[in-house]
Amino acid sequence: MEKINKKVAVLIDAENAASKHAKQIFDTMSNYGEIVVKRIFADWSRRNVSGWKEQIAEFSITTKQQFSFASKKNSSDLSLIIDAMVLLFERDIDIFCLVSSDSDFTRLVQELRERGKTVVGMGSRNAVKAFVNAFSEFFYLGEAEEGQEKDEKEDKEPEKPVVKTKPEPRQNDGREPRKRYLLSREQHKALKDIVNSLIDEDGTALYTKINVMMKAKYSDFVPQNFGCETVSKLIEKLLPELRDFKVGRRPIQGNEGAYIMYLERK
């Protein structure tokens, strides 16, 4: 992604996001450009947001107080929306990041994108899909940390002896047990259709084009949500689900050791 001179605003719904994800939020958004606005919204008289205190100091986040005047009403949502619209019209912001799983923000996301802004979302996997797909990109909180902890644990643990086990029994109808795929059936079909259409048109399906077209359909199609650092690593991880295709690469002229990666039919 091109990050030269990009100005980023991070808006956090503290009542809808855990403080333990603060590092992931700011590490991720620093890859998009300069974070010029960091604001966090909540009724700070509530105990459930007290965990943000240390992160607010560490990451120099501006707090926004909004008292809830009625029970079961999150008044800070409206405060966040107002701030976002003020930033839209009064500040030169290129990329908005909204940290929340609350689908009530869907219309805000749509409005920002309609006005030409890139809007990155961060939230939980149980967020409503219509809300997730409203964003330019959507990252699931906690996925990066869990993947890193797993890698560190694997590095520390000594290799265990291989124990042979009996193969998994077949189902009663005689078919092999169904394998677990990374993508849903809908996403898997979309991915295969995209690869086939690119090959039909250009002869190969470039990784970059696959990524752009998949992300246009599913904003959460980002490597970090699958425990990968790059698009090439993600597609490599998805290859078992793409049995009709194989990986190809060609060198980039003038850039020794660099390659353009693509898929082609076997």
Side-chain angles (χ1 to χ4, degrees), residues 110-126:
Q110 293 170 335
E111 184 67 25
L112 292 173
R113 293 197 66 188
E114 286 172 8
R115 294 180 179 275
K117 302 300 180 181
T118 297
V119 189
V120 178
M122 293 189 184
S124 66
R125 277 199 176 270
N126 61 9

Side-chain angles (χ1 to χ4, degrees), residues 1 32 125 137-140 143-144 182 211 215 219-235 237-238:
M1 67 192 74
Y32 286 79
R125 277 199 176 270
E137 291 183 307
F138 195 93
F139 294 84
Y140 294 118
E143 306 280 324
L182 289 173
N211 183 51
K215 198 178 294 180
S219 64
D220 57 350
F221 188 80
V222 292
Q224 291 82 351
N225 289 339
F226 297 87
C228 303
E229 293 182 357
T230 62
V231 173
S232 60
K233 291 290 185 183
L234 171 55
I235 294 179
K237 199 171 185 177
L238 291 171

Side-chain angles (χ1 to χ4, degrees), residues 50-188:
S50 60
W52 275 100
K53 184 177 180 180
E54 291 183 8
Q55 282 70 28
I56 287 169
E58 180 179 351
F59 294 98
S60 189
I61 313 172
T62 301
T63 58
K64 291 285 187 171
Q65 167 65 31
Q66 183 62 54
F67 289 106
S68 297
F69 300 106
S71 61
K72 298 183 180 180
K73 293 291 183 180
N74 189 353
S75 300
S76 59
D77 287 6
L78 185 57
S79 179
L80 189 154
I81 292 170
I82 291 172
D83 270 40
M85 297 309 293
V86 170
L87 289 169
L88 173 66
F89 291 110
E90 295 187 0
R91 297 284 295 274
D92 184 20
I93 301 295
D94 301 295
I95 301 169
F96 286 82
C97 172
L98 175 58
V99 183
S100 181
S101 302
D102 189 345
S103 60
D104 288 346
F105 291 116
T106 302
R107 186 66 192 97
L108 170 64
V109 178
Q110 293 170 335
E111 184 67 25
L112 292 173
R113 293 197 66 188
E114 286 172 8
R115 294 180 179 275
K117 302 300 180 181
T118 297
V119 189
V120 178
M122 293 189 184
S124 66
R125 277 199 176 270
N126 61 9
V128 176
K129 281 299 177 185
F131 174 63
V132 171
N133 288 327
F135 289 88
S136 309
E137 291 183 307
F138 195 93
F139 294 84
Y140 294 118
L141 292 173
E143 306 280 324
E145 292 99 324
E146 289 173 6
Q148 184 177 1
E149 288 174 2
K150 183 179 179 182
D151 292 340
E152 290 174 354
K153 185 178 180 182
E154 289 175 350
D155 290 340
K156 292 178 181 178
E157 288 182 350
E159 290 188 6
K160 297 179 180 179
V162 177
V163 179
K164 292 184 179 181
T165 58
K166 293 182 180 180
E168 188 175 344
R170 295 191 176 192
Q171 297 174 355
N172 294 334
D173 58 4
R175 293 180 298 173
E176 292 287 349
R178 188 182 173 198
K179 294 182 178 179
R180 183 180 179 184
Y181 292 121
L182 289 173
L183 301 177
S184 67
R185 287 186 178 182
E186 178 186 340
Q187 291 173 325
H188 178 251

Side-chain angles (χ1 to χ4, degrees), residues 188 191-192 195 235 238-245 263:
H188 178 251
L191 178 59
K192 289 187 68 175
V195 174
I235 294 179
L238 291 171
L239 280 177
E241 302 178 32
L242 299 168
R243 296 181 179 179
D244 298 331
F245 309 100
L263 293 180

